Amino acid sequence: MLNEAAVKELNEIRQKYPNARAALLPALYIAQREFGHLSPEAYEAVSEILGVPKAIARGVATFYVMYKHKPMGRNIVQLCTNVSCMILGAEKLVDFLKNKHGLEPGGTTSDGRFSMVIMECIGACGTAPAMLVNDDFYENLTEKYIEEILGKYK
Amino acid sequence: MIKVTINGKEIELEKPVTVLEAARSAGIKIPTLCYHEQLEKYGGCRLCLVEVEKIPRLQTACTLMVTDGMVVRTETPQIADVRRGILEFLLINHPLDCPYCDKAGECELQDLVEKYGPAKGRYKEKKRKAPESLEDPVFVRNMERCVMCTRCVRMCDGVQGASAIAIINRGGHSHMEPFSGGKYDCEYCGNCVSVCPVGAIMSRLHRHSYRPWQVKEKTETICPYCGVGCTVIAQVRDDSIKRVIPKIGSSVNNGMLCSRGRFGYEFVGSSERLTSPMIKKNGVLEQATWEEAISLTAKRLGEIKNKYGGPSIAGIASPRCTNEDNYVFQKFMRVALGTNNIDSTARTGYAGTQKFIENIFGQGATANIISGLSNSDSVLVIGGDPTAINPILGLQIRACSRKGGNILAIGHIKGLEKFNPVTVSPRFYTETLLLEGIVSALKNKKGLPGSIPALEAKIKDISTSAKEVENGCGIAEKDFIRFTDTLSESLTPSIVLGKDIAQSSGGSYKLMLISAINYLMNARIYLLSERANEQGVLDMGCAPDLLPGYRPLSFAEFRKRYENAWKSPISEKPGLSIFEMVDSAKSNALKALYIMGENPVFNLPNSKAVKAALKNVEFIVVQDIFLTETGKLADVVFPALSWAEKEGTFTNMERRIQRLRKAVNREGMEDWRIISEVAKNMGVKLDYSGAEEIFQEISRISPLHRDLTYEEIGKGGAIYPYKGEPLRGVMEDIQMHKGSSVNPDGKLYLRLERPLFHSGTLSTKAPALVKIYPEAVARVSPAVGEALSLKSGDMARVSTRTGSLELPVNIDNKLDNLSVMLTNNFEDKGAFSLMEYTIDPVTKAPVIDANEVKLEKVLA
């Protein structure tokens, strides 16, 4: 179940849109934040509050990669491997994360501290390679810099 | 007038339609895949691309509206190329497993590829793999075959309104899935199966059992379940129904079916069907020949009639049997046995409600066209969930909401909850006060029209304020005002009325209040009907106070007319209602009971008492297709032919008379023919060559069916009064009974659940429906469950004064804290075995809302 504040937030978002289905995307983000990922319970909560059938909500969410469909680690590393990043060594960084931290694309570390997702272009081609950790932005990545960054997240 | 030229052919159109529709109206075929006439237009498959002059690129004919002077070409080398290309794309992933696929032979993709090619694709990559999903008991999903036309989703979300499936994922990974990913949690209407152009969603019932082209017999008939009367097509091979599909086009259902209609046909071929007549010898039913059973029945009925007189014999007719069966049955009772003791389970609500309303508004007041509901600007729903009782009527209410109409619900209506109903839920036993409040509010807003003084006299006495409603019913004043404002502002309202009203305390008084709402709003009223021929059984005179054609027995003039036609006197004494028959059996006054296609020992409330009473009856005859609880008590049991095995007519709730056609051959006799044989053995001539001859007699003497022929009915649209004169101006006093008020606090009441997936015990003989809804469960609210630490699936003992049952519990978030809901469908687990009833003196319906119940946890 969603807590009271989240329910209130959802209802407020609903008011900004002409119909309930239009409010689905932001509503699903709130549910994802509260439940950690879009579990059946998360869809049910959104469906109950917005009055949008849960199958439809799931159909919408699965279209987008930025919704999480399975349990995730506490922090999400989102590394870009698109053209510029790739040329500047992003794939080596993928290997580094795998070998050093046991963090595979789409996987989660055994301690649940990190999950990793490979991103398409995040618009930082001039400062590639780049990544997001949760909502924080990092560019000009090197193995050493990544070590430093990951240390900030528990 | 709009002029368009398609392939050089000039077409004139009255109003703008799509290019596709214009072409089809002129007989020009344009291939389609995602287009379906029942669904919202999509323009996704691109197969209907056509060339339009002055538009540079090809256009989708299914979405493009015609404009005056438009010149269209549908078959050019460029278009053929494009179509071939699209099909090649579809075949990248679509497996060529046609030899194994049930759809082969009626597959739209197969037909298109056959016509437009290509025989072979150029793609070397591996096809998408997805294992066939057999997780559901009824549906098989094969997502390798899906061509992403989204017809199923548009059907489920946009027409059926169940919204149980959606397209998930993106691009090449997308496919259709129910929410769980496996098993469906839906209304099981199967309309997604109907519209799937390929073998991606199929019914599991006939999986790998036949090929579409092997089905030679396609019989258009009427669904045997509820009072909507959907036209179905039974596809038969070797005298076994392989599939039931809806008819698209002129029919009540227009291509839609519900779970019962589509998946409930298997009872016809059940191995439990009765095959031979049986006679009870030394307390045991033993097989007998037809001659033995018929002559014994005739002999015993004759003896009892001579010894105790006709009124000691009674008959129970069946709302599942045809008009013809019922007509012959009542004629037999009246002519051969000389009694008006004939009734049916229509007495449990439908008959009395209809009579009450027609008394005020005139005959035919409840005969309204179902499809008209969607054109109402508001629908008031009270006394039952229409989407469960009459699902296809329920769809019209959903369509009304989609078109911008308001749904006004009294009490929580599960099947409409997603359609933004304006709901007021009165506390238990305070529905009357709420209705009084609504009548008062409407009276103040709209004023009295002045056309029915007797009703206005009653309305004038009613004065209940919003404040009183708030205090009494627990409905906030602002919610109540919103409800009455929405209602009073509507211009074309409809009222949908379920049986729960007639079966509740003070039912006739509530009916007066609902009639008052109907009157003040100038609304149309629809009565939900649970059985296919509930209306017909009344029309045929299977009621203690009615003659065929719905003519009151009490009028000498009508009796005379039938006496002349039947060349036999008719007793002027009204007969016993079905409940009076039970009382009469209890007091040993009833000596013989003839039951056709009904199971009173299960289908009447307080069924244990009914059983005890029937044990007193000297001689019981039962005609049925299964050996029912009642059949087990009988002295003679005749095997009857089922709905699929006979000709005849049903009359639906709109009063539309529709033809049943024989789909399956089976040895045996129709119900009317058994009765006619018994009559012959009693020396009474009741001979007919077939159902059509019976109908000819009906249309000769019943004013409602005058001049109606089978041929005319076959064309559809035979809604009575067909050339007949309706009875108006015979209004009697409005009698009503307020019932007693009860303080329900702190108690639990047993209430009857009317499920979507079952109908009587008939549906429990259909394995597919049993798989969907396998057993009786006691449904309670979370608070009730918590108080006894019961979770869904735990066993509980449900006890009333008449007995107790052990049942699994189901927790329902939407239920109130005073109710325990239980169905009356499953053998030995019927709600009616735990319910006592009183009779409403006006409607003669059983009042069953006062059964206190005790719930205990059963420890494993």
Side-chain angles (χ1 to χ4, degrees):
Chain A
M1 288 300 284
L2 284 175
N3 60 40
E4 231 170 85
V7 172
K8 188 162 168 272
E9 204 179 342
L10 267 177
N11 282 321
E12 277 165 12
I13 280 176
R14 167 67 187 89
Q15 298 309 317
K16 293 182 186 164
Y17 293 87
N19 62 61
R21 287 191 186 192
L24 258 182
L25 293 182
L28 287 166
Y29 271 118
I30 293 171
Q32 172 167 290
R33 187 189 70 207
E34 297 297 318
F35 287 88
H37 74 288
L38 289 177
S39 59
E41 294 73 31
Y43 288 120
E44 268 156 25
V46 170
S47 168
E48 184 70 38
I49 293 164
L50 292 187
V52 175
K54 55 190 182 181
I56 304 290
R58 179 167 172 262
V60 168
T62 54
F63 185 89
Y64 298 98
V65 287
M66 288 170 80
Y67 291 112
K68 313 300 174 219
H69 303 285
K70 55 182 183 184
M72 292 305 231
R74 293 191 295 280
N75 305 291
I76 302 174
V77 177
Q78 302 170 85
L79 183 70
C80 174
T81 57
N82 222 306
V83 180
S84 304
C85 293
M86 182 193 73
I87 292 170
L88 289 164
E91 286 181 349
K92 279 194 187 122
L93 297 179
V94 172
D95 291 340
F96 168 74
L97 282 170
K98 187 173 159 186
N99 298 333
K100 182 82 193 284
H101 294 278
L103 196 51
E104 291 194 58
T108 302
T109 53
S110 51
D111 59 359
R113 188 170 158 208
F114 290 109
S115 287
M116 182 165 104
V117 180
I118 298 291
M119 295 293 278
E120 299 308 325
C121 184
I122 51 175
C125 305
T127 49
M131 74 174 183
L132 284 161
V133 179
N134 301 338
D135 293 333
D136 308 328
F137 200 78
Y138 300 98
E139 47 203 3
N140 294 320
L141 296 175
T142 59
E143 289 180 8
K144 190 171 160 236
Y145 187 26
I146 285 183
E147 266 315 86
E148 192 183 308
I149 294 165
L150 294 188
K152 290 196 242 170
Y153 296 89
K154 298 296 165 197
Chain B
M1 200 62 98
I2 303 162
K3 278 188 192 162
V4 286
T5 310
I6 304 180
N7 295 352
K9 191 171 176 181
E10 273 205 10
I11 301 163
E12 292 197 354
L13 296 154
E14 297 264 333
K15 50 183 181 184
V17 293
T18 61
V19 172
L20 180 68
E21 284 156 352
R24 289 201 174 167
S25 72
I28 296 165
K29 280 186 187 153
I30 298 175
T32 53
L33 197 56
C34 72
Y35 171 84
H36 194 280
E37 56 194 298
Q38 285 173 270
L39 305 175
E40 201 184 325
K41 294 170 181 58
Y42 181 60
C45 76
R46 321 306 284 178
L47 275 164
C48 67
L49 287 172
V50 292
E51 209 175 278
V52 183
E53 271 184 17
K54 294 176 189 152
I55 303 183
R57 275 189 276 176
L58 298 181
Q59 299 293 313
T60 46
C62 68
T63 55
L64 183 69
M65 301 300 281
V66 293
T67 52
D68 196 30
M70 191 180 254
V71 180
V72 180
R73 276 178 290 275
T74 71
E75 300 284 341
T76 66
Q78 188 202 1
I79 292 171
D81 247 12
V82 167
R83 286 182 189 151
R84 200 177 311 117
I86 291 162
L87 289 166
E88 194 177 351
F89 269 125
L90 287 177
L91 291 184
I92 292 176
N93 273 322
H94 190 91
L96 296 176
D97 60 352
C98 309
Y100 172 79
C101 177
D102 269 346
K103 196 77 175 185
E106 54 175 13
C107 172
E108 293 179 35
L109 182 66
Q110 197 177 42
D111 293 348
L112 287 166
V113 173
E114 190 266 334
K115 187 163 179 205
Y116 293 96
K120 215 175 159 200
R122 286 164 289 175
Y123 295 89
K124 304 281 184 228
E125 288 78 7
K126 278 191 181 150
K127 288 180 191 265
R128 176 173 81 180
K129 283 283 162 204
E132 197 160 50
S133 163
L134 290 167
E135 286 158 275
D136 194 82
V138 175
F139 299 126
V140 190
R141 255 177 347 109
N142 185 321
M143 283 303 119
E144 291 173 9
R145 296 183 190 142
C146 178
V147 290
M148 290 298 294
C149 66
T150 73
R151 279 192 196 176
C152 53
V153 175
R154 281 177 287 147
M155 170 56 83
C156 189
D157 190 33
V159 185
Q160 177 69 22
S163 308
I165 54 176
I167 301 293
I168 70 151
N169 296 338
R170 183 170 38 152
H173 301 285
S174 48
H175 61 272
M176 180 280 285
E177 241 179 45
F179 179 72
S180 76
K183 197 175 178 302
Y184 286 65
D185 173 19
C186 71
E187 299 180 342
Y188 283 96
C189 63
N191 289 318
C192 52
V193 176
S194 276
V195 295
C196 182
V198 294
I201 323 170
M202 312 230 16
S203 157
R204 210 169 160 173
L205 275 65
H206 54 79
R207 184 169 151 83
H208 299 330
S209 69
Y210 75 106
R211 288 299 198 177
W213 58 85
Q214 291 170 329
V215 178
K216 292 196 184 67
E217 304 300 328
K218 290 179 183 154
T219 312
E220 189 178 314
T221 184
I222 302 300
C223 172
Y225 281 102
C226 83
V228 170
C230 295
T231 304
V232 295
I233 295 167
Q235 300 193 338
V236 177
R237 187 184 177 204
D238 298 336
D239 282 329
S240 138
I241 301 180
K242 290 293 172 199
R243 180 165 67 162
V244 168
I245 56 173
K247 184 188 171 192
I248 298 182
S250 60
S251 54
V252 179
N253 47 321
N254 188 19
M256 302 295 284
L257 274 186
C258 73
S259 55
R260 298 189 294 249
R262 187 184 302 269
F263 299 120
Y265 59 84
E266 289 171 299
F267 71 86
V268 173
S270 166
S271 57
E272 292 173 47
R273 285 279 300 271
L274 288 171
T275 51
S276 143
M278 290 192 286
I279 292 175
K280 191 165 268 173
K281 286 176 188 157
N282 304 322
V284 183
L285 280 170
E286 289 176 15
Q287 289 209 350
T289 65
W290 281 94
E291 290 73 27
E292 283 170 347
I294 288 166
S295 68
L296 177 69
T297 305
K299 184 173 139 256
R300 294 288 286 127
L301 289 176
E303 284 169 6
I304 290 168
K305 185 190 170 193
N306 290 337
K307 194 169 167 194
Y308 304 103
S312 68
I313 308 175
I316 297 177
S318 172
R320 287 221 197 274
C321 288
T322 62
N323 286 323
E324 290 75 1
D325 292 329
N326 283 305
Y327 175 81
V328 171
F329 189 32
Q330 61 83 34
K331 189 173 169 185
F332 171 74
M333 294 305 294
R334 292 193 161 111
V335 173
L337 300 177
T339 174
N340 286 314
N341 291 342
I342 178 154
D343 206 4
S344 71
T345 48
R347 189 66 44 205
T348 58
Y350 189 80
T353 304
Q354 184 169 66
K355 191 176 171 193
F356 188 94
I357 292 167
E358 292 196 338
N359 180 39
I360 297 174
F361 297 106
Q363 195 174 31
T366 63
N368 293 300
I369 303 298
I370 292 169
S371 59
L373 265 174
S374 66
N375 296 326
S376 299
D377 63 358
S378 74
V379 180
L380 173 64
V381 182
I382 177 168
D385 184 349
T387 64
I389 299 164
N390 294 126
I392 299 299
L393 178 142
L395 295 186
Q396 294 293 335
I397 304 177
R398 290 173 177 176
C400 165
S401 163
R402 249 182 242 117
K403 288 182 187 176
N406 291 306
I407 297 176
L408 297 144
I410 296 183
H412 175 247
I413 309 283
K414 187 165 183 281
L416 296 172
E417 66 184 9
K418 285 183 230 149
F419 294 83
N420 307 317
V422 182
T423 306
V424 283
S425 293
R427 267 187 217 130
F428 218 50
Y429 278 114
T430 61
E431 216 168 29
T432 308
L433 184 67
L434 171 65
L435 289 170
E436 283 176 342
I438 297 172
V439 171
S440 302
L442 293 178
K443 178 176 68 172
N444 296 338
K445 279 180 209 288
K446 315 276 290 187
L448 293 168
S451 52
I452 305 179
L455 185 59
E456 292 197 354
K458 308 279 182 201
I459 296 173
K460 277 181 191 140
D461 293 343
I462 299 164
S463 169
T464 301
S465 69
K467 202 77 217 162
E468 286 170 84
V469 171
E470 178 170 290
N471 294 335
C473 307
I475 296 165
E477 196 174 336
K478 69 170 181 20
D479 292 340
F480 174 76
I481 289 171
R482 179 172 167 229
F483 185 90
T484 49
D485 282 354
T486 312
L487 182 60
S488 72
E489 279 159 19
S490 74
L491 301 170
T492 54
S494 297
I495 299 174
V496 174
L497 176 56
K499 228 172 169 178
D500 285 354
I501 294 298
Q503 294 183 343
S504 64
S505 172
S508 48
Y509 181 59
K510 287 184 199 169
L511 286 177
M512 188 282 291
L513 294 168
I514 292 164
S515 300
I517 296 171
N518 191 49
Y519 175 67
L520 294 167
M521 288 305 305
N522 194 17
R524 282 174 297 184
I525 199 159
Y526 293 77
L527 294 190
L528 298 181
S529 166
E530 293 178 3
R531 298 283 194 268
N533 205 24
E534 201 162 18
Q535 182 62 45
V537 74
L538 295 172
D539 296 345
M540 289 302 118
C542 293
D545 55 347
L546 291 176
L547 288 165
Y550 218 90
R551 291 306 193 245
L553 177 82
S554 52
F555 283 41
E557 190 192 325
F558 294 135
R559 273 203 315 277
K560 191 90 204 133
R561 180 179 181 156
Y562 287 92
E563 283 173 347
N564 291 340
W566 292 342
K567 299 183 181 64
S568 160
I570 297 170
S571 166
E572 63 181 305
K573 193 174 157 251
L576 301 174
S577 79
I578 195 166
F579 296 104
E580 288 161 349
M581 289 175 198
V582 174
D583 294 342
S584 172
K586 202 170 157 188
S587 64
N588 278 319
L590 192 71
K591 299 297 176 190
L593 188 56
Y594 199 130
I595 300 165
M596 174 180 82
E598 188 51 83
N599 186 8
V601 170
F602 190 84
N603 287 337
L604 291 184
N606 205 354
S607 47
K608 282 183 187 162
V610 173
K611 185 173 179 180
L614 259 52
K615 279 185 177 160
N616 294 340
V617 179
E618 264 187 51
F619 186 67
I620 298 178
V621 188
V622 169
Q623 297 180 188
D624 212 312
I625 61 173
F626 290 103
L627 187 61
T628 60
E629 289 83 346
T630 311
K632 286 173 191 160
L633 294 182
D635 297 277
V636 178
V637 178
F638 289 105
L641 289 182
S642 80
W643 140 88
E645 294 141 2
K646 61 187 177 187
E647 300 280 332
T649 55
F650 278 166
T651 306
N652 80 349
M653 56 196 286
E654 306 175 303
R655 319 296 212 275
R656 190 189 296 267
I657 299 155
Q658 307 193 96
R659 279 271 274 121
L660 239 68
R661 293 181 185 83
K662 184 172 164 179
V664 176
N665 292 303
R666 188 184 171 96
E667 263 183 54
M669 285 196 243
E670 298 96 328
D671 284 291
W672 64 264
R673 208 184 288 272
I674 302 170
I675 294 162
S676 147
E677 289 294 319
V678 172
K680 199 199 286 175
N681 268 256
M682 294 177 75
V684 177
K685 198 171 168 304
L686 213 58
D687 275 352
Y688 301 93
S689 62
E692 187 162 7
E693 195 188 337
I694 303 170
F695 197 81
Q696 281 163 1
E697 182 174 316
I698 297 168
S699 64
R700 226 174 15 252
I701 63 175
S702 158
L704 291 177
H705 303 79
R706 183 169 297 160
D707 296 343
L708 195 54
T709 61
Y710 266 19
E711 196 188 349
E712 195 76 10
I713 297 171
K715 289 180 201 157
I719 300 182
Y720 86 60
Y722 180 82
K723 291 189 190 168
E725 66 277 24
L727 270 185
R728 289 186 196 275
V730 289
M731 185 169 169
E732 297 162 22
D733 258 8
I734 301 173
Q735 308 240 331
M736 54 203 193
H737 179 70
K738 279 200 173 183
S740 48
S741 73
V742 178
N743 178 9
D745 290 347
K747 294 174 194 155
L748 276 175
Y749 289 86
L750 184 63
R751 283 168 58 202
L752 181 64
E753 173 162 359
R754 305 175 201 275
L756 168 61
F757 302 117
H758 285 291
S759 167
T761 45
L762 189 64
S763 58
T764 61
K765 309 287 184 191
L769 295 177
V770 174
K771 280 177 197 152
I772 297 170
Y773 192 128
E775 58 179 351
V777 292
R779 216 151 48 82
V780 296
S781 73
V784 171
E786 217 165 278
L788 295 165
S789 59
L790 283 165
K791 295 186 301 293
S792 281
D794 287 354
M795 293 299 285
R797 187 175 299 109
V798 180
S799 325
T800 63
R801 297 206 315 184
T802 65
S804 75
L805 291 175
E806 283 189 16
L807 299 161
V809 168
N810 188 301
I811 306 288
D812 181 346
N813 292 327
K814 297 288 165 67
L815 201 61
D816 59 80
N817 295 333
L818 296 165
S819 302
V820 177
M821 304 293 292
L822 177 61
T823 60
N824 195 61
N825 300 101
F826 292 93
E827 211 178 325
D828 301 329
K829 306 264 174 174
F832 280 170
S833 68
L834 301 181
M835 283 181 169
E836 290 172 286
Y837 64 90
T838 54
I839 294 291
D840 186 293
V842 181
T843 63
K844 304 280 194 298
V847 174
I848 53 169
D849 67 348
N851 286 288
E852 274 184 50
V853 64
K854 207 169 90 192
L855 197 68
E856 300 156 284
K857 186 168 184 168
V858 177
L859 299 167

